[in-house]
Amino acid sequence: MFKKILIANRSEIAVRVIRAARELGIKTVAVYSEADRESRHVAMADESVCIGPGPSKLSYLDQEAVLSAAKITGADAIHPGYGFLSENADFSELCAKRGFTFIGPPPAASRKLGFKSTGKAVATVANVPVVPGTEGDITTDVSKEVAAIGYPVLIKASAGGGGKGMRIVRTPAELKPQLEAAATEAKAAFGDGSVFIEKLLERPRHVEIQIIADNHGNVVAFPERDCTVQRRHQKLVEESPSPALTPEIRRDMQAAAIRLAKAANYQNVGTVEFLFQDGKFYFIEVNARLQVEHPVTEAVAGVDLMELMIRVAAGEKLPFGQERASEIRCHAIEHRINAEDPDNNFMPCPGRIESIELPGGAGVRVDTHVYAGYTIPSYYDSMIAKLIISAGDRPTALRRSLRALGELKIVGVKTTAGMHAKVVAHPVFMSGDFDTHFIEKTGLLDAKEPSNV
Ligand code: MV4
């Protein structure tokens, strides 16, 4: 097992890594930017190293700065958290070269799955259903192929993720100009102009399967997370089990996720994302990291994914098989609380937290790095806390969510907590029957820039 882990991240996820490491008897090193001196992860870690100024490019994304901090503190492993360097295969290779274990997937698997078109190719080989579309990236005239797929279609950037750079095409006349615009945009945004096309699913749900794979060929899949409630491709609420899945679909989705992981020689925790519509699921992409919403699965399955992630990275075997991983022990919901102004188009709202009261009691978990007197810096994302609610069934979990959201009191910055209460109390959300357009259709957020899909 590792002796000392350096955490190449900040905020609640850095705190989460420190907690898991401490329970395993592993020392921790926090790195931080000049803007994060007061962040809780710095105070909690055994040691800390300032690695640069506020902007991420000059600190959390500075590979040499992170590696120097690891070297001078004698760390033997680096945990990347999510975002920043977490899905950077070059960084993971560099870690290995310098003698540190990167707590993440092997670079080859990460490269194959990180690129969406090649990820889809692996899925096809593994007999995992994909959305009908072009095979690989577009290099020639595809108008005939697209006509066969049938309009409307969606152009996606191969190097993109999370909905960035997607364009709808509803008629043949729009195809060529939209393809050109999409390629230009993708080149500018991701440094790679490759695009591919898929049939547009008009009212899908977003359902994802958490997996974990060790270095001994074992892979298990946990119950799904339903992340259908999103706004501008930002997840707001995640829950498990999905109100839309039957036990048969769940089992098939889990088996598909495992086939995909095995075909890619995947190791580490990971998430296989699917769209689900009319009783059928379609693979869309893999997230080769531990995600923000992992505590939903921890609650439902009764496991510690962070601990397991560290153990398999250290070469241990998975301590249980698929039967244990499939157990559903409760219903869980996560609310991402962001420092954003609901009255100003959800603009980030950095500033000083004057006071904060966190909810508690049975079935309420709070993951956060903030405290009274803490000033939220403006350089990073606006998520300041996650509430993870669990209860015996969905209706009880929803009532508990409302209770916990009501207990949460933050003075000093505006937050999305009130909006979460509106979502949970909405009859359509309560019914469980909704799709990715839920937020726009209900007008809950009065979005001034609605998503184009
Ligand atoms: C789609 C789609 C409809 N049809 N693909 C958005 C995020 C990215 N991971 C995939 N996304 C979508 N892909 C096809 N072929 C609709 C979306 C989508 C969406 C998906 C999940 C959750 C919220 C969403 C909001 C808008 C669009």
Side-chain angles (χ1 to χ4, degrees), residues 116 120 131-132 153-154 156 161-164 166 197-207 227-233 235 273-275 277 284-285 435-437 440 451-453:
K116 283 195 290 187
K120 266 187 96 169
V131 187
V153 294
L154 194 55
K156 294 186 175 183
K164 268 172 269 166
M166 299 195 318
I197 286 176
E198 278 182 358
K199 174 115 188 127
L200 175 73
L201 303 182
E202 305 260 18
R203 30 182 191 79
R205 297 182 77 109
H206 172 123
V207 183
C227 311
T228 300
V229 180
Q230 306 195 3
R231 177 176 177 275
R232 286 192 218 152
H233 303 299
K235 292 170 185 167
E273 290 189 359
F274 298 94
L275 296 178
Q277 185 177 294
I284 47 170
E285 56 191 86
D435 59 42
T436 51
H437 304 290
E440 303 127 66
S451 152
N452 65 346
V453 183

Side-chain angles (χ1 to χ4, degrees), residues 149-202:
I149 293 163
Y151 287 88
V153 294
L154 194 55
I155 306 173
K156 294 186 175 183
S158 304
K164 268 172 269 166
M166 299 195 318
R167 277 158 183 268
I168 297 181
V169 185
R170 294 203 177 269
T171 64
E174 290 168 41
L175 181 62
K176 199 160 175 259
Q178 287 282 47
L179 271 174
E180 280 162 11
T184 307
E185 207 175 274
K187 178 81 188 148
F190 314 113
D192 186 318
S194 312
V195 296
F196 63 101
I197 286 176
E198 278 182 358
K199 174 115 188 127
L200 175 73
L201 303 182
E202 305 260 18

